[in-house]
Amino acid sequence: MSTVRLPTAEHIFEQLEGLIAEGRFSQGERLDEVSLAREFGVSRTPLREALRLLAASGLVELIHNRGAFVRQPDFVRLVEMFEVMAELEAWCARLAAARITAAQLMLLRRAADGCERAFAAGDFRKYYDENAIFHGLIYDASGNSFLAEETRAMQRRLRPFRQAQLSAADRLRASMQEHRDILNALEAGDTAAAERLMRSHIQVQAAVYGELRGEFAMRTLEQASP
């Protein structure tokens, strides 16, 4: 007899951070535990753990006896974070172009193929999972473990916003081609091209998310209008 597997706190956390980044909740909005627990089909215990995880990531503020309130980074802060991310990833790509091994290239090609399968299925969340593997392999191929650790930490902070931008029209197709161009530069050992292409890849993500965030704000204003 099969049983229904309930969402874990980590799963609820990932879903909520995505919804926050996608504009489902407005800045300062109180998250209703009762309605969210009903939506996810869970008790309030795993939901509260998910809210604590959101608070640790900076997306929610927990106020004693009042509840959890959405606290997105302001737009200027996000731009600054993406600027740092672009330079970290560009640095990883430049080093990787000089240091990547044949085995790492094989894994990178496999990750790029995984992105293409997700694209063909129109599954942007799956695409982001494969995308994270692709980028992580480049961090490792840099041969600098400290740089890889710091880049992963920044990637984790930007995850919901990088994932949200993949929902923009034709962004999956463009992202996939950017991956292929980066892979070609790494295979050729072209450090300058790998650095330039990776920096541009992250800068585009920032620009696309900025446009989406503007659309989220407009939608919120329209919904609030009488």
Side-chain angles (χ1 to χ4, degrees):
M1 179 178 179
S2 61
T3 58
V4 176
R5 187 173 183 179
L6 295 176
T8 63
E10 178 68 23
H11 175 75
I12 297 169
F13 159 67
E14 291 177 358
Q15 293 295 308
L16 284 174
E17 71 170 0
L19 291 173
I20 290 171
E22 292 166 13
R24 160 80 177 274
F25 306 104
S26 59
Q27 174 72 352
E29 181 176 346
R30 181 179 179 276
L31 298 177
D32 188 320
E33 290 187 12
V34 174
S35 62
L36 287 174
R38 185 183 306 115
E39 179 176 338
F40 287 106
V42 297
S43 69
R44 292 169 72 175
T45 298
L47 177 64
R48 286 174 176 169
E49 178 58 28
L51 293 177
R52 283 192 286 271
L53 292 172
L54 284 168
S57 73
L59 290 177
V60 156
E61 181 183 4
L62 297 177
I63 301 178
H64 185 60
N65 290 332
R66 292 186 59 197
F69 297 82
V70 174
R71 295 288 185 263
Q72 286 200 54
D74 63 43
F75 186 66
V76 172
R77 181 70 168 178
L78 269 177
V79 168
E80 292 171 345
M81 292 169 70
F82 269 108
E83 283 182 349
V84 172
M85 187 82 248
E87 294 308 312
L88 287 173
E89 295 229 21
W91 193 2
C92 285
R94 175 166 61 85
L95 292 176
R99 299 173 176 176
I100 196 165
T101 67
Q104 288 171 325
L105 275 173
M106 180 186 69
L107 292 173
L108 203 58
R109 293 187 197 102
R110 187 178 299 169
D113 290 342
C115 288
E116 292 189 358
R117 286 192 296 273
F119 169 74
D123 188 343
F124 80 91
R125 291 190 183 278
K126 177 63 174 175
Y127 184 95
Y128 185 79
D129 291 339
E130 297 292 342
N131 170 79
I133 293 171
F134 181 88
H135 283 266
L137 287 167
I138 295 174
Y139 306 162
D140 293 336
S142 73
N144 185 315
S145 60
F146 181 76
L147 174 60
E149 290 168 7
E150 293 301 304
T151 308
R152 276 195 172 86
M154 181 59 76
Q155 182 198 49
R156 179 63 191 82
R157 293 182 68 183
L158 283 172
R159 181 177 74 175
F161 309 104
R162 292 177 70 166
Q163 182 169 316
Q165 59 90 32
L166 288 173
S167 65
D170 213 33
R171 180 61 195 137
L172 285 179
R173 184 187 301 276
S175 177
M176 184 174 63
Q177 184 56 54
E178 290 158 18
H179 281 184
R180 283 298 179 188
D181 291 341
I182 292 167
L183 178 56
N184 289 338
L186 292 171
E187 289 177 325
D190 190 335
T191 57
E195 179 180 11
R196 172 177 52 81
L197 289 166
M198 182 63 85
R199 180 181 292 112
S200 176
H201 179 55
I202 306 303
Q203 289 171 339
V204 167
Q205 293 177 9
V208 172
Y209 182 73
E211 293 174 2
L212 286 175
R213 185 145 173 170
E215 293 175 9
F216 299 156
M218 288 297 296
R219 188 169 66 222
T220 300
L221 287 174
E222 290 172 356
Q223 290 172 348
S225 299

